[in-house]
Amino acid sequence: MPFLLSLLSCCLQVAAQNNIATEQKINSLIKKMTLQEKLGMIHANSSFTSNGVARLNIPELVMSDGPHGVRPEHGRDWEKDENVNDSGTYLPTGNTLAATWNPALGYQYGAVLGSEAKWRGKDVILGPGINIIRTPLNGRNFEYLSEDPYLISKMVVGYIQGVQAQGISACVKHFAANNQEILRNSINVEMSERALREIYLPGFKAAVLTGKVNTLMGAYNKFRGQWCTHNKYLINDILKKEWKFDGIVISDWGAVHNTKEALENGTDIEMGSEFTLKSGTDYSKFFLADSAVASVKMDKVKLDKLLDDKVRRILRIMYRTKLAASKKSTGSYATKEHSAVAAKVAEEGIVLLKNNDHFFPIQKKNIKTIAVIGENAARPNAYGGGSSQVKALYEVTPLQGIKNILKGTDVTVSYARGYKIERNAAANDTLIAEAVKAAANADVVIVAGGWVHGYNYNVWNDNAYDAEGFDKPNMDMPFGQNELINAVLKVNPNVAVVLMGGGAIDVSGWDKKVKTIIEAWYPGMEGGNALAKIIFGEINPSGKLPVTFPKHLSESPAHVLGEYPGDSVNVKYSDDIFVGYRYFDTYKVQPQFAFGHGLSYTSFEYKNLQVNYANKATTVTLIIKNTGGTAGAEVVQVYVNEKSPEIKRPEKELKAFAKVMLKAGEEKQIKLTLDENAFQYFSEAKNKWVMKPGRFNILVGSSSADIRLEKGVDVK
Ligand code: BGC
């Protein structure tokens, strides 16, 4: 032990000395730079780059979207670069990753992105997107992770560390409270300090303090009256002072509105392009470019100090990444190994929501015909959704996945389109009639439906439901899918519905009548294969919902307690801390599918719960046993409830979880530790996190609504 301690202290000393040496190098570089050179580094010089200083060997900083793959190359300012190989790995979207509840997969996911970004000559990958999923309507929910700050905090760290281990910077976005796309460029978000601290910030805090993220993107919206990208409270006071973030704050594209505020309130690089800025592509007209900065009345010493801080941050991150001697790998691109990560995330992220009569898994030998219905079954999604678009090397659709798995068997697969993807399209009688015919002649029917992306980034609203810049008009199944499913059910009771998309959708028109419901999100390039393996039992599903599915939109807390989308100037989050299951559980509203819910083909027994408090740590141990006949993984979830709180607290809050793989009949002991944070709430009166010593309940279960074991503990 003494040897290990002295080794550790020696390593820390070396690291500190290296840091001092790097900071000295940076200071001497800054001394050599002209004002123009500094200004060049703090604003865009093309849609995805900012200037370097060639004479000092400082390279440009090269960025790329996005959260689930490296974006297709648009060269400089959207000129298509024909000479580049940009068909890459299309990973499942953020919501799918979150549904794995497997932080180790977060790391692998990030490592794929980092490696591909490196291969494509990028320095910064513009992800992960981690805004809280507050309303089912947000058009970007598919990019985001969860309604729960603890789950986000756990998943985001792996992602960031995976990216950054490749010598590439992650960019956590969009800081903060960018929870709707509608009005995103103008809306002012108002919320309590408690909601900010308990719900909207913890993911970012974990990204900075634990994930050590190199860069962060400011959001488009305003927060408490000031634009987020140059919001004094969010960026200077919280991010840079409280959390000691020493990396780069990058504006969202076109999110800077004021030179003085951007200079003073922590924006380090102003980005944007002809789409987002009125200046067109004249980068010299940017808010952080020469003439705008020159026109600000500010003491020269102060201005120099502000500029030097921004440049210092950029150089610091360059020395941690592209200028670091140890980070010279070239990365790799579109490899089999990367596809395998995409497959694994889909296999663990797809969620079995309902499964009556053991309808799934389907035994190939028991069927002769299968009808696959729905335009979503045959539609690729990689290229849609806005800035997160990916040019996929390939994308296995659900239909293709089902055909692949049935190759070599004598099962016949028929396909009917069923509905037409077109914004505001109603049920199409001809397509429904074709689908009914296919269903009538089949042993089993799989309808693939739900939401869709727009195809083309230039027309994001083109048929888009899940897309940047737009929210969904409602939570209903679009394109007449309810009519389709009900028509199919009339001729064949053996129907499963596969949902795709950004999350909660109203299934109340048919949910009781179908045998099985699966949430497949946007499961990436291998998604169809992963789905087929789950349908036919080669993979035992283990995904769990990272969001609550309300029965109807009108029961969603942002719409019941809060405002959405606001009065076009302000949106008040009066739903406060009661986001997602915190609302449904506390207000006793039954959701359609609860947070943390997800079925398996096997069953799990929870037993022998013990909870011990000692030395400020609460240890939770239990035994989990696979009591069914198939190997499978269970996500053991630990929630905390305060017996008699001083102020209103949620009925329960997730504070620990573990994904456990168990063979048939196997049992394992699980041990989870809760620190003091698990019992705290944010006191507005004291303006800090506090814990009231006393009795807490520890609730352990398979979802927020399926608590299997419970025990009290006195925490001091
Ligand atoms: C999006 C960001 C994205 C950026 C660059 C913005 O419109 O909000 O998430 O990274 O564009 O494409």
Side-chain angles (χ1 to χ4, degrees):
M1 203 58 180
F3 168 73
L4 282 180
L5 282 179
S6 72
L7 187 69
L8 180 68
S9 108
C10 175
C11 288
L12 288 174
Q13 273 174 29
V14 172
Q17 278 159 9
N18 284 345
N19 278 346
I20 294 169
T22 308
E23 293 291 319
Q24 280 168 351
K25 236 188 300 185
I26 291 172
N27 284 338
S28 84
L29 269 177
I30 290 177
K31 281 202 189 102
K32 293 182 194 145
M33 288 169 67
T34 66
L35 177 67
Q36 263 61 37
E37 285 169 340
K38 291 178 190 172
L39 290 169
M41 287 181 71
I42 66 166
H43 68 83
N45 68 354
S46 84
S47 38
F48 286 102
T49 52
S50 56
N51 258 351
V53 183
R55 71 175 182 95
L56 297 174
N57 295 323
I58 301 172
E60 284 187 329
L61 192 70
V62 185
M63 308 165 206
S64 171
D65 287 300
H68 46 262
V70 185
R71 193 173 183 179
E73 212 60 51
H74 295 296
R76 298 185 81 92
D77 290 315
W78 308 91
E79 291 302 321
K80 209 165 175 186
D81 191 340
E82 304 291 350
N83 300 319
V84 83
N85 172 6
D86 60 356
S87 294
T89 299
Y90 167 43
L91 290 156
T93 51
N95 52 6
T96 325
L97 175 64
T100 68
W101 292 59
N102 184 347
L105 271 184
Y107 184 92
Q108 291 180 34
Y109 185 108
V112 169
L113 276 173
S115 171
E116 302 216 344
K118 184 111 202 182
W119 193 89
R120 289 257 301 270
K122 315 294 181 189
D123 303 315
V124 181
I125 189 91
L126 302 170
I130 64 160
N131 292 90
I132 287 283
I133 297 180
R134 174 178 178 252
T135 161
L137 299 189
N138 181 12
R140 280 184 106 166
N141 283 347
F142 71 95
E143 285 185 61
Y144 297 151
L145 303 181
S146 176
E147 67 189 24
D148 180 74
Y150 182 82
L151 180 58
I152 294 174
S153 303
K154 290 289 145 188
M155 298 306 297
V156 77
V157 168
Y159 179 126
I160 290 166
Q161 291 177 342
V163 170
Q164 296 192 171
Q166 314 305 311
I168 295 292
S169 293
C171 180
V172 67
K173 64 192 191 182
H174 308 87
F175 191 66
N178 183 182
N179 311 98
Q180 61 188 53
E181 286 299 286
I182 187 168
L183 302 168
R184 72 174 179 177
N185 289 307
S186 59
I187 200 85
N188 172 47
V189 177
E190 293 288 343
M191 69 170 84
S192 73
E193 190 64 15
R194 186 178 176 203
L196 180 70
R197 298 289 180 158
E198 289 189 17
I199 306 293
Y200 294 92
L201 288 188
F204 290 102
K205 190 175 177 184
V208 171
L209 294 178
T210 316
K212 307 264 183 257
V213 72
N214 284 341
T215 81
L216 167 144
M217 189 188 292
Y220 277 125
N221 49 290
K222 291 182 190 165
F223 177 77
R224 295 188 188 153
Q226 194 170 44
W227 297 105
C228 285
T229 286
H230 34 82
N231 187 292
K232 177 180 175 298
Y233 185 56
L234 290 176
I235 297 197
N236 276 353
D237 298 351
I238 297 182
L239 177 71
K240 291 189 172 174
K241 278 204 200 90
E242 230 182 277
W243 300 346
K244 302 191 170 43
F245 175 68
D246 68 355
I248 312 169
V249 171
I250 300 171
S251 77
D252 201 340
W253 270 230
V256 173
H257 297 266
N258 180 302
T259 303
K260 188 160 183 285
E261 281 191 8
L263 285 170
E264 289 179 343
N265 296 346
T267 317
D268 298 314
I269 303 182
E270 178 193 7
M271 293 304 294
S273 66
E274 73 264 47
F275 292 135
T276 52
L277 288 177
K278 291 200 184 70
S279 66
T281 43
D282 186 352
Y283 295 101
S284 70
K285 298 224 168 68
F286 269 38
F287 289 96
L288 287 182
D290 312 22
S291 54
V293 172
S295 72
V296 172
K297 288 189 185 57
M298 194 186 282
D299 175 70
K300 180 162 179 331
V301 178
K302 181 177 168 190
L303 178 66
D304 282 347
K305 212 172 145 208
L306 290 170
L307 292 180
D308 288 358
D309 178 60
K310 298 178 198 303
V311 171
R312 185 174 294 114
R313 287 166 180 274
I314 299 168
L315 290 172
R316 188 181 286 144
I317 296 310
M318 284 186 172
Y319 276 110
R320 266 182 218 162
T321 53
K322 72 194 308 183
L323 296 180
S326 58
K327 300 280 169 55
K328 291 275 191 259
S329 81
T330 50
S332 55
Y333 200 65
T335 62
K336 280 208 177 82
E337 291 74 20
H338 292 182
S339 293
V341 172
K344 184 87 178 115
V345 173
E347 288 164 6
E348 288 202 25
I350 291 172
V351 185
L352 181 63
L353 294 172
K354 169 183 174 169
N355 193 27
N356 276 14
D357 311 328
H358 302 287
F359 183 56
F360 278 5
I362 296 173
Q363 306 298 324
K364 292 177 198 165
K365 61 177 177 355
N366 293 349
I367 60 165
K368 285 268 168 281
T369 46
I370 178 167
V372 179
I373 293 170
E375 192 168 334
N376 276 20
R379 178 183 159 100
N381 284 297
Y383 216 70
S387 61
S388 65
Q389 61 173 206
V390 178
K391 201 157 124 199
L393 184 64
Y394 61 86
E395 180 175 348
V396 182
T397 61
L399 178 62
Q400 191 57 51
I402 289 170
K403 285 184 175 165
N404 290 347
I405 211 166
L406 292 172
K407 214 171 275 165
T409 69
D410 51 9
V411 181
T412 314
V413 183
S414 65
Y415 172 69
R417 188 174 169 195
Y419 55 87
K420 206 166 165 185
I421 292 176
E422 229 170 49
R423 194 134 194 169
N424 302 323
N428 181 311
D429 292 341
T430 316
L431 294 180
I432 290 182
E434 274 170 32
V436 166
K437 199 169 153 208
N441 293 322
D443 295 322
V444 291
V445 182
I446 314 274
V447 181
W451 304 120
V452 292
H453 283 318
Y455 265 136
N456 188 332
Y457 75 91
N458 269 336
V459 266
W460 289 350
N461 58 344
D462 169 29
N463 303 331
Y465 280 76
D466 288 314
E468 178 179 341
F470 299 89
D471 281 359
K472 285 160 279 208
N474 52 50
M475 209 180 88
D476 302 338
M477 296 275 287
F479 323 127
Q481 293 179 64
N482 288 333
E483 289 88 332
L484 168 73
I485 295 169
N486 280 312
V488 164
L489 277 162
K490 284 202 182 113
V491 297
N492 194 331
N494 296 321
V495 176
V497 175
V498 174
L499 299 168
M500 307 194 62
I505 193 163
D506 190 330
V507 296
S508 60
W510 43 264
D511 69 293
K512 298 209 173 50
K513 296 185 260 177
V514 300
K515 299 249 187 215
T516 295
I517 307 177
I518 279 196
E519 175 56 63
W521 319 106
Y522 293 111
M525 68 200 295
E526 282 285 337
N529 285 335
L531 179 69
K533 285 182 183 169
I534 287 175
I535 294 174
F536 290 95
E538 285 182 23
I539 298 277
N540 189 356
S542 64
K544 299 273 188 177
L545 287 181
V547 285
T548 309
F549 279 35
K551 284 191 178 133
H552 309 288
L553 182 65
S554 58
E555 291 163 357
S556 167
H559 302 255
V560 183
L561 302 176
E563 289 179 0
Y564 169 88
D567 63 9
S568 90
V569 178
N570 296 302
V571 56
K572 233 181 166 168
Y573 288 10
S574 4
D575 37 328
D576 206 54
I577 57 163
F578 295 100
V579 175
Y581 69 93
R582 284 168 169 75
Y583 166 76
F584 288 90
D585 289 353
T586 313
Y587 287 77
K588 313 278 178 246
V589 180
Q590 183 85 35
Q592 179 76 40
F593 299 112
F595 174 80
H597 170 73
L599 302 172
S600 165
Y601 296 147
T602 189
S603 48
F604 300 99
E605 185 193 357
Y606 287 62
K607 56 186 182 186
N608 297 16
L609 174 66
Q610 285 174 36
V611 180
N612 289 307
Y613 174 82
N615 302 327
K616 295 202 176 300
T618 303
T619 320
V620 179
T621 51
L622 69 139
I623 288 174
I624 172 123
K625 180 172 184 181
N626 181 345
T627 50
T630 322
E634 169 70 326
V635 178
V636 176
Q637 302 162 38
V638 178
Y639 296 85
V640 169
N641 148 276
E642 182 167 356
K643 271 260 182 196
S644 14
E646 290 166 318
I647 58 168
K648 191 166 180 182
R649 294 194 68 177
E651 174 65 28
K652 62 170 91 73
E653 296 184 83
L654 181 74
K655 294 297 171 184
F657 63 87
K659 190 161 192 173
V660 195
M661 182 70 204
L662 293 163
K663 292 185 212 114
E666 190 185 9
E667 64 176 40
K668 278 186 188 157
Q669 191 182 54
I670 312 294
K671 184 173 165 188
L672 293 157
T673 308
L674 306 177
D675 62 16
E676 217 177 337
N677 297 334
F679 304 95
Q680 291 177 332
Y681 66 92
F682 190 85
S683 158
E684 294 194 340
K686 299 189 178 124
N687 195 34
K688 61 173 189 190
W689 288 92
V690 295
M691 190 200 71
K692 185 185 137 224
R695 192 82 174 156
F696 289 84
N697 286 326
I698 305 297
L699 316 168
V700 183
S702 179
S703 84
S704 60
D706 183 9
I707 299 302
R708 307 284 184 85
L709 300 168
E710 184 173 339
K711 222 169 203 145
V713 61
D714 290 314
V715 180
K716 295 175 196 92

